[in-house]
């Protein structure tokens, strides 16, 4: 018998198929890696923007201490007082119907605009007359009787007079 010589040669077609498969896999991995890198960059940008917005929100939510400028505050208070219509107060105080009573004190709170008038009265019956005179037909502000104090004043002076306080808010 003749010896048979068999040579096993790897088929070249498979080499070509494996080469193409390797190229496709490398391309797929490269494309996937590229997309992952882009998504990572987008995520980093969004996180940076979120941190910036949170910082702005914290800055806006924390109250800022008020800058106290006494000069500006006093200028504003003076302007408010100058803009106020004082004629209404003085018209009420200078009413001829109030000639029987004596104005003891007039005080004005510049912040709230509250005006207080303290009158000395001969009797308690004059309180209604003074209230009617202050709130007369031409009056634009409403004066309210706050208190009448007769006891403490009698002990000091023995005059039998009473003091009464009326208040009104001036706008």
């Amino acid at each position: 018998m003749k010896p048979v010589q068999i040579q096993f040669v790897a088929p070249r077609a498979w080499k070509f198929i494996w080469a193409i498969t390797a190229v496709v896999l490398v391309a797929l991995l490269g494309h996937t890696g590229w997309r992952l890198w882009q998504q990572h960059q987008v995520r980093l940008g969004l996180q940076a923007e979120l941190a910036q917005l949170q910082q702005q929100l914290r800055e806006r939510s924390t109250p800022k201490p008020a800058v106290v400028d006494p000069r500006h505050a006093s200028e504003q208070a003076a302007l408010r007082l100058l803009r106020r219509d004082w004629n209404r107060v003085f018209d009420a105080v200078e009413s001829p119907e109030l000639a029987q009573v004596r104005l003891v004190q007039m005080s004005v709170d510049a912040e709230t605009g509250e005006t207080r008038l303290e009158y000395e009265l001969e009797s308690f019956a004059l309180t209604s007359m003074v209230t009617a005179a202050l709130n007369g037909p031409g009056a634009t502000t409403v004066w309210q009787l706050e208190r009448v104090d007769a006891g403490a004043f009698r002990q000091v002076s023995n005059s039998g007079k009473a003091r009464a306080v009326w208040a009104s808010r001036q706008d």
Side-chain angles (χ1 to χ4, degrees):
M1 262 204 172
K2 252 180 157 184
V4 178
Q5 288 187 354
I6 301 175
Q7 272 190 331
F8 292 101
V9 177
R12 291 186 178 171
W14 283 106
K15 283 184 182 181
F16 180 70
I17 291 172
W18 283 112
I20 291 198
T21 304
V23 168
V24 168
L25 283 176
V26 167
L28 260 169
L29 285 174
H31 180 69
T32 304
W34 174 255
R35 297 291 290 187
L36 284 174
W37 184 77
Q38 283 181 334
Q39 290 299 322
H40 179 67
Q41 294 300 319
V42 167
R43 187 176 346 115
L44 287 177
L46 289 175
Q47 285 176 346
E49 188 175 349
L50 177 65
Q52 181 183 9
L53 289 174
Q54 286 175 340
Q55 178 65 28
Q56 288 176 356
L57 182 63
R58 273 188 297 247
E59 288 173 358
R60 289 181 184 163
S61 65
T62 56
K64 295 187 179 182
V67 178
V68 178
D69 184 10
R71 181 177 181 166
H72 180 70
S74 66
E75 287 174 358
Q76 292 301 319
L79 284 175
R80 272 195 313 272
L81 287 173
L82 289 174
R83 287 185 188 132
R84 197 165 280 150
D85 185 15
W86 292 105
N87 288 331
R88 295 185 289 182
V89 176
F90 289 114
D91 286 346
V93 170
E94 295 171 352
S95 172
E97 298 168 358
L98 296 175
Q100 303 163 344
V101 294
R102 185 172 77 101
L103 179 65
V104 177
Q105 181 180 5
M106 178 176 151
S107 62
V108 178
D109 185 5
E111 285 296 318
T112 62
E114 187 174 24
T115 305
R116 292 178 182 270
L117 301 175
E118 184 175 351
Y119 282 100
E120 187 176 82
L121 308 173
E122 295 290 328
S123 68
F124 286 111
L126 290 176
T127 57
S128 61
M129 187 273 306
V130 172
T131 304
L134 289 174
N135 295 322
T140 57
T141 58
V142 177
W143 293 90
Q144 294 180 342
L145 178 64
E146 278 195 348
R147 70 175 187 270
V148 177
D149 184 23
F153 191 73
R154 262 192 212 141
Q155 292 172 358
V156 174
S157 66
N158 255 347
S159 66
K161 295 182 181 179
R163 288 196 178 193
V165 176
W166 280 265
S168 175
R169 181 172 294 270
Q170 306 296 321
D171 294 326

